[in-house]
Amino acid sequence: MGAHQQLIAINDDLNQFHLTNRYVSMILGVVEGKLVNLYTGAAVPYRDDFGYLVDDAFRVQATTAGEHSEHCIEQLRQEFPEYGRGDFRGPAVTILQSNGSRITDFRYAGYRATNGKPELEGLPSTYAGESKADKSDEASGTAAIDDAAETLSIDLRDDLTGLTATLNYAIFRDEPVIARSVRLTNGGSEPVIIERLASCNLDLPDSDYTMTEFVGAWARERTPRTQPLHPGVQSVASMWGASSPYFSPNAIFARPDTNEDQGEAFGLAFVYSGNFDLHAEVDAYDTTRLQLGINPEGFSWRLAPGESFQSPEALLGYSAHGLNALSHTFHHIVLDHLTNPRWARRERPILINNWEATYFDFTEDKLLELARLAKQAGVELFVLDDGWFGRGKHARVNDRAGLGDWIVNPDRLPEGIAGIAENINAIGLKFGLWFEPEMINRASDLYEAHPDWVIATLGRDSAVYRHQYVLNFANPDVVDHIYATMHAVLSSANVAYVKWDMNRFITEAYDATRSAEHQGELFHRYILGVYALYRRLLAAFPDLLIEGCASGGSRFDMGILAYSPQIWASDDTDAVERLSIQYGTSAFFPVSAMGAHVSITPNHQTGRSESLAMRGAVAMFGTFGYEMDLTRLGEGELAEIAQQIAFFRKYAPLLHNGDLYRLRAPYDHRQAAWMTVSSDRRHAIVGDYVVLGVPNRPKSRVRLRGLDEDALYRVTSLSRLEIPDDDDDEVDSIAGATPGDAGTVRGSIPDGVAVVRSGGELMHIGIDDTNIGPDFAARIYLVDRLDEE
Ligand code: DGJ
């Protein structure tokens, strides 16, 4: 055996590589020059030679290693399959060469194994940081930075073109996740055109999987849809120029009997916000090829001699214990290895946003009135949404004008942004501001000065969405200008938070600053420009909290999350709809990533009326805030909001940093439930919801997860978000309670009453929730280990 990192074992003689931690193994080998995947799944022990895993049954198919080759190219589980060499499934790479050929032959050329995980140039990516083991071992003083991952880089070379593909595999020490990306370098003498480059190709030996995609549209984003794999291609993709609300750049591939609690599953997630393609292809021999990368449709990239192209990162996660465990894995990766560490596990400010309170119709007095009431209730941050900018005939008083002119409208805010920020600060709130940096109205000073900065195809009309157009962020001059104008606003005032919106997709894609052969680069260059602006703003204002948004949740992906620790999950603020949206989003994204607000009733999107208690109990499984006109509420409702805020502030660390378990899916519109559990299993908080009540309802119990079987827990039942008195008199049968002594409460636990139950009872028998309320009702259970008290 040769080099041996802790997580990567390498047999130099056989060119075999085994990436493994305690949870997952990926074994790679080289067969007749091709890099192949010998196994990916649950961790297996090291062995010197895994060569027996190479399929050598010979079928009448192409070989690429000469007449005496023992292997068919279509049978090898290739890591980097190419176009046109006898493997007729979708290739991971297609290169157009100057003679018109698309044939390449990438062969193994060497490797490097390193500690840590390098950044990807220009792109968001996961970072290594310190492993959990070393964090808990701080006393020894030996904690090494960057020890939470190790990276294997394998070079594959195509001799004829001089191209090298470097396949990067970073395995995390504490999570069953391998981060993958590819870097193509042109070491030849001719330019080439990259037409397709998958970030991850994974060939699996059978096809006994379901694919769960996350689908939707505006106001109903990310609903899971599960179907068995079948021969042919099953795919989700985006051509919108953003990850989109229609399909998400993440999917789950699970064994058919896998459920939330048990069974095997792979998760694939793209750390990218532009056009993507994620698909599974099942061939005639029931093998499966999973691919995730930039959508090849509409993409090409000219690579001149000496240049490199870096693909975005794809995360491959594995679970041997069901879908909740797979979600925990991705949540930990997001919080500990992707989110800006300044915010990752830090408490987020409870905010009020004026959008649904005023839309475009506000004065500074109105905003300050709203802020004063919000402050009285305990809100911490006031966010001024759309409508504060543009001047004169370009004033943003509706959605027809002003985008692009990031300069305050003095008719609305006479003392400028500095003035309103000071006034809000004087009330005792932080101040936040809305921008839509990538967009422009034709009715704007910016358009009058730079009509050529809009993405448009010369000689053709441009599609219009919401009276606006997209700025060409592939042009660095545009990004420089927007950066300068945003920087001027943000440095002129005390702005703690920015809401970065994006309300239309890219059409007539054409980059007027580049020649014909570079036109396929626009979509990717555009999103690189977006990321560059994020990075520059965060470098200039490191403490700024930027919340991502795109007509609600139209760009909710791990790329944006690398810069925006939270993303507005949907413009649909109806609590019932939010149960579905947040439930689906939680498959890959933690609670603290999901922007969620309590809004007015009847709800503006659905017209439905729901109790304040229900609205609060759903929004608290998100970043939590308010988006309603508090001046229209009575004293009772304002008092309840103050209680909700105090409640959320107390339980936010548990809600945001605990592990989320999905208990009951909301998609039958009857009931839903989820819970978060602290990592030491001592505390949990459960949200249990009735969507539509059922007459003469059958008995119903919600079974909890993640607790210690033998420990005793006090379970406090609440019908609204109100911190309970810690008065032992209200606890039913705590004294001398044993797992067999469940107390006298029969049926559902009444509001405000606490009982004692063992973890085993709570997980296997469950809590009776037959009678917790009529339509649109919520029950919260606070679950605390008794030895805590
Ligand atoms: C769409 C966003 O999703 C809303 O929250 C709001 O900011 C509007 N844009 C403002 O135009």
Side-chain angles (χ1 to χ4, degrees), residues 470-490:
V470 187
L471 284 168
N472 182 7
F473 263 47
N475 176 357
D477 293 346
V478 174
V479 178
D480 283 350
H481 173 83
I482 297 297
Y483 172 74
T485 54
M486 289 180 75
H487 187 279
V489 175
L490 297 176

Side-chain angles (χ1 to χ4, degrees), residues 355 385-386 434 466 499 501 503 549 551-552 568 571:
W355 180 242
D385 209 278
D386 198 352
W434 180 96
R466 208 194 187 203
K499 178 174 170 185
D501 205 346
N503 285 297
C549 174
S551 286
W568 183 226
D571 273 350

